[in-house]
Amino acid sequence: MARTGRRPGTTQTREEILRAAREQFADQGYDGATIRGIARAAGVDPALVHHYFGAKQRVFIAAMRLPFNPADEVRAIMADRERDHAEAILRFFLRMWDDPRTRDPMLALVRSATSHDKAAEAVRGFMNDLVVHHISTELGLPPLRAAMIGSQLFGIVLLRHVVGVEVVRSADTEEIVAMYAPALRAMIEGGGEEQPGVREPRDVNRRSSRRDS
């Protein structure tokens, strides 16, 4: 029978929870893993998992050795009304990937996701949680638009750090910010409104139907 409640040795208990969490995320994926299941595997009460780490997203971040929660950083950026949000988000993102302390664990996640289905499921679930339920809320954008912003940022990472395209890999951070921030700003400030000159497929279909009738 699993032991519950607080165990002696804070560091040891935290590490046992994180070990159990890594196994649960690997076996069940992000959506399938639960705080209760992680606690059961670690032999502790679910309240202790919440006490040390909080919600599942934070457990994932700690288990995967990510040094901070990206949602917290975006929240802080958006709370500062004096900053250019597009430039601030882009600088934060580039700094996060340029620093080996944060880049290495994230690269390990990306690489494992390309070769292991469960790892991909865990990363996909985490990103969906982060983008759909947190970043889109902080930016005040529809989830799809927030996801497209995420895809823009990840494209830079792919070329700069995963594929290693030389012209992107060696580019100065400020040069990238100056060149790319306007595109990111357009996505952030565009809101959920349809852009001028962009027509949804259903409108085109309706007009085609009228012409054909």
Side-chain angles (χ1 to χ4, degrees):
M1 181 176 178
R3 291 174 291 173
T4 60
R6 187 181 297 272
R7 299 170 118 184
T10 300
T11 301
Q12 180 182 352
T13 304
R14 286 173 60 93
E15 286 304 314
E16 289 181 3
I17 292 172
L18 292 177
R19 175 192 54 76
R22 281 190 288 272
E23 292 176 355
Q24 290 288 302
F25 286 124
D27 293 341
Q28 307 294 328
Y30 184 85
D31 293 331
T34 65
I35 295 293
R36 187 176 298 277
I38 292 168
R40 184 165 52 249
V44 300
D45 192 278
L48 195 58
V49 180
H50 283 291
H51 170 74
Y52 281 135
F53 302 106
K56 183 169 71 171
Q57 183 187 110
R58 295 182 182 277
V59 178
F60 183 89
I61 289 168
M64 300 303 149
R65 306 296 185 185
L66 299 183
F68 53 80
N69 186 344
D72 290 343
E73 299 291 331
V74 172
R75 189 175 296 114
I77 289 172
M78 296 306 296
D80 187 349
R81 302 300 180 186
E82 300 301 317
R83 300 175 76 179
D84 182 305
H85 293 156
E87 289 189 4
I89 288 174
L90 191 51
R91 282 197 181 91
F92 156 66
F93 195 79
L94 291 170
R95 185 174 65 250
M96 178 174 66
W97 280 92
D98 287 344
D99 186 341
R101 294 172 298 176
T102 51
R103 180 179 67 238
D104 291 348
M106 290 187 293
L107 274 178
L109 280 179
V110 171
R111 286 166 178 158
S112 66
T114 62
S115 56
H116 297 88
D117 289 343
K118 282 298 182 181
E121 185 179 334
V123 174
R124 181 169 57 249
F126 169 70
M127 291 305 296
N128 184 67
D129 190 20
L130 179 67
V131 170
V132 174
H133 299 298
H134 291 275
I135 292 181
S136 67
T137 300
E138 296 302 325
L139 295 178
L141 301 175
L144 178 58
R145 184 175 287 272
M148 291 300 98
I149 291 172
S151 70
Q152 283 184 308
L153 294 173
F154 186 74
I156 297 176
V157 169
L158 186 65
L159 294 182
R160 191 168 170 88
H161 296 292
V162 180
V163 178
V165 174
E166 177 58 27
V167 68
V168 182
R169 187 188 65 79
S170 61
D172 180 74
T173 296
E174 289 306 310
E175 184 179 7
I176 295 176
V177 170
M179 187 175 298
Y180 208 74
L184 195 61
R185 188 178 301 113
M187 289 291 288
I188 292 173
E189 296 177 355
E193 299 176 358
E194 182 179 334
Q195 299 301 306
V198 178
R199 295 168 179 164
E200 297 181 0
R202 62 176 179 272
D203 295 328
V204 175
N205 292 337
R206 280 200 296 267
R207 281 190 291 273
S208 297
S209 297
R210 285 197 295 269
R211 285 196 302 267
D212 293 340
S213 60

